[in-house]
Amino acid sequence: MNHRTLTLTALIATLTPAASAATLVDCSKDARNVHCARPADLAQSAGTLGSGPAFYQGGSTDDVTGGFVTADGRTFIGAIETLSDTDAFGAIIAVDLNTGDRRLISGRLNQLEQRGRGVMSALDYGGSAELYDLGNIRDVQPLPNGDYAAINRDGVIIRVNGQTGDRTLLWRPALSSDTKIRDGAEAKYAGDRAPATTAGTASTPNLPTINTPLGSVNLGGLFAAATAPAPTPKAPAAPTYFCPPAVADSRPAAPLNHLSADAQGNLYLLGGNNPLGSGFALFKLDANDDYRCKAVTQFTNDGTNVLGSGPTWNGSSVMTTGPLFANLARNGDVLYAAGGPNPNYIVVGVNTRTGERSLVSGQRSGNGAQVYKRGSGEALIGSALTFSGGNLYTTQEQVTADAFTLVRINPATGDRTVITPAKGSSLAVAGSASDSALFAIPGSPLLLVWFADGLHLLDPATGMSNLLSR
């Protein structure tokens, strides 16, 4: 082989994307393989597959809540909530998709396994505290410089240094209640005051959304007027740090707590009519404008269009928050979200350049009215969502006691197909159907699945799966 051939071979190797490290174990041939058998005792088996800190820390909320697989398909970067949802425990971890080994990037898994520091700040009532822990972490996405953006249940986005694990504020949806924090670590947000409410809008607090048998309800609705006047669509205004509501003189919108990031470092969040009256939107935190918040598409809580075009997904009542969306899935310029049940279980798409909205797939909730229908198939739509190999994937999560069931959705037709786990595979177990999350693996046809306190590899073409890391 001559020098020119060697040079050409090296160039081709450089330009060819690296193959994913993920490989599947055939559990039908060896059911006792450690990657196939689900342990009876989770506490005893925690940390036994792959080295490093265990996912399960003995708490009531130990869950991978979000994350992504790196572009080379070799590492999963995950958000994990541990112990209790009322403490500072939560972290970002890295998982090697070849070995299942786990590594702590930032946060606190327990009292001993911790990495990185937040920002120390004085407090109104005296003393000081370390701000920006990763307690109640809901998602993590990459930033272009190797850092990470993590969001917690309150919608606060924390910048995490990829090298040190140190944490600083990237963005928050509202002013801190502590004036000394506003004047210190969050000083730039003090200038963005919410406008006073007027008779044209219902004054409601920013409170959490809960899922009830009757649908998703924002607790702020308990304090809202029963018959609020019709909202007035908001005229475009200069961007501020806080997210613009869909109606005039309403307080800033508080987006949902899952993220998507593009290659430029812009972050995207869905708005779900919180506080009630602020309407629905896809928001963009502009990396070139100090992460000020701008609407990409927007409509009021009664379905009046404000920005963008296409169908709306406001709830069956202006006093609700519409579908409970979770993970955002991306295909090029289009972001997808799935959720329900109010008014139906649906998958929607938004073009991040044009603001055009689309109903991708939809079905009724139980025996309720069919408000949004698209696509055929009896498979149910859940809130977990990812895009891989030209298809969208979600899970049937409505009955917790059911087994894990994957659902493939054709984004062109909305048709839904059930993919049952293969017999003897790691996902072919009953229970924990609602305890699941899906992640695409670049360069691989496999999916990464969080289910029953472990990470699994799944081939959607065959239903075969194996446990990767526990």
Side-chain angles (χ1 to χ4, degrees):
M1 186 179 290
N2 60 33
H3 174 74
R4 184 172 296 175
T5 303
L6 284 170
T7 302
L8 180 60
T9 302
L11 178 60
I12 292 173
T14 300
L15 296 177
T16 302
S20 169
T23 56
L24 201 63
V25 173
D26 188 348
C27 292
S28 66
K29 297 179 179 179
D30 185 7
R32 295 187 178 183
N33 187 301
V34 67
H35 292 275
C36 302
R38 181 182 180 186
D41 189 329
L42 181 61
Q44 293 297 321
S45 65
T48 58
L49 190 57
S51 64
F55 299 120
Y56 182 69
Q57 295 291 322
S60 59
T61 61
D62 296 359
D63 259 328
V64 168
T65 54
F68 66 96
V69 176
T70 54
D72 61 8
R74 295 178 176 272
T75 307
F76 172 64
I77 306 297
I80 180 168
E81 168 62 24
T82 65
L83 299 181
S84 170
D85 58 7
T86 59
D87 56 31
F89 294 107
I92 299 172
I93 56 170
V95 181
D96 187 310
L97 297 193
N98 180 43
T99 64
D101 293 346
R102 299 167 298 278
R103 173 174 57 87
L104 179 61
I105 293 176
S106 182
R108 304 174 183 175
L109 286 170
N110 51 53
Q111 288 287 11
L112 298 179
E113 294 176 294
Q114 305 183 18
R115 188 168 188 265
R117 296 182 178 181
V119 175
M120 296 302 300
S121 177
L123 301 174
D124 280 345
Y125 56 81
S128 61
E130 183 179 302
L131 306 179
Y132 316 128
D133 59 64
L134 296 178
N136 260 317
I137 185 172
R138 309 310 300 167
D139 204 356
V140 59
Q141 291 293 307
L143 295 173
N145 62 351
D147 289 351
Y148 304 102
I151 187 169
N152 64 22
R153 189 174 63 178
D154 296 326
V156 177
I157 301 178
I158 298 162
R159 180 187 291 273
V160 178
N161 186 299
Q163 298 297 317
T164 66
D166 289 346
R167 301 173 296 274
T168 54
L169 179 67
L170 189 150
W171 183 84
R172 64 173 303 128
L175 288 171
S176 169
S177 60
D178 194 304
T179 56
K180 287 191 176 180
I181 294 177
R182 286 185 223 162
D183 295 338
E186 301 173 4
K188 68 182 181 182
Y189 290 88
D192 276 359
R193 304 286 177 177
T197 56
T198 69
T201 59
S203 178
T204 56
N206 288 341
L207 291 176
T209 297
I210 61 173
N211 197 6
T212 75
L214 299 178
S216 53
V217 179
N218 182 270
L219 295 182
L222 298 177
F223 303 98
T227 55
T232 303
K234 179 182 175 65
T240 67
Y241 287 108
F242 301 140
C243 291
V247 296
D249 300 320
S250 178
R251 287 174 304 133
L256 303 177
N257 48 28
H258 281 272
L259 293 170
S260 179
D262 63 22
Q264 291 71 46
N266 301 307
L267 300 174
Y268 297 86
L269 310 94
L270 283 169
N273 198 31
N274 182 20
L276 294 178
S278 61
F280 299 82
L282 176 68
F283 294 114
K284 172 184 175 180
L285 302 183
D286 192 338
N288 292 321
D289 194 14
D290 198 26
Y291 291 99
R292 287 178 171 85
C293 185
K294 307 169 183 179
V296 174
T297 197
Q298 195 166 39
F299 50 94
T300 66
N301 62 344
D302 67 354
T304 302
N305 189 65
V306 175
L307 183 65
S309 61
T312 63
W313 48 84
N314 47 298
S316 55
S317 164
V318 296
M319 302 304 291
T320 62
T321 57
L324 286 175
F325 293 125
N327 310 75
L328 294 170
R330 175 181 288 273
N331 177 32
D333 291 327
V334 180
L335 283 181
Y336 298 98
N342 182 21
N344 294 141
Y345 288 99
I346 60 174
V347 180
V348 299
V350 179
N351 187 301
T352 57
R353 289 188 301 106
T354 66
E356 181 182 0
R357 303 180 295 270
S358 60
L359 175 64
V360 178
S361 189
Q363 62 193 165
R364 70 184 182 187
S365 171
N367 294 319
Q370 180 65 74
V371 181
Y372 297 92
K373 178 177 175 57
R374 187 167 191 266
S376 62
E378 294 302 314
L380 300 178
I381 296 170
S383 58
L385 191 68
T386 195
F387 184 93
S388 176
N391 291 302
L392 288 161
Y393 292 94
T394 185
T395 64
Q396 294 192 150
E397 62 181 31
Q398 284 76 10
V399 181
T400 300
D402 285 353
F404 173 88
T405 305
L406 188 70
V407 177
R408 181 175 60 237
I409 300 174
N410 183 324
T413 65
D415 292 348
R416 301 172 296 277
T417 305
V418 168
I419 300 173
T420 304
K423 184 178 179 180
S425 64
S426 63
L427 291 170
V429 292
S432 304
S434 62
D435 178 19
S436 59
L438 302 173
F439 307 96
I441 303 176
S444 172
L446 304 180
L447 299 177
L448 186 66
V449 179
W450 169 256
F451 175 73
D453 298 289
L455 280 175
H456 305 248
L457 293 173
L458 169 64
D459 184 354
T462 64
M464 291 296 297
S465 65
N466 69 256
L467 192 57
L468 170 72
S469 187
R470 180 192 299 127

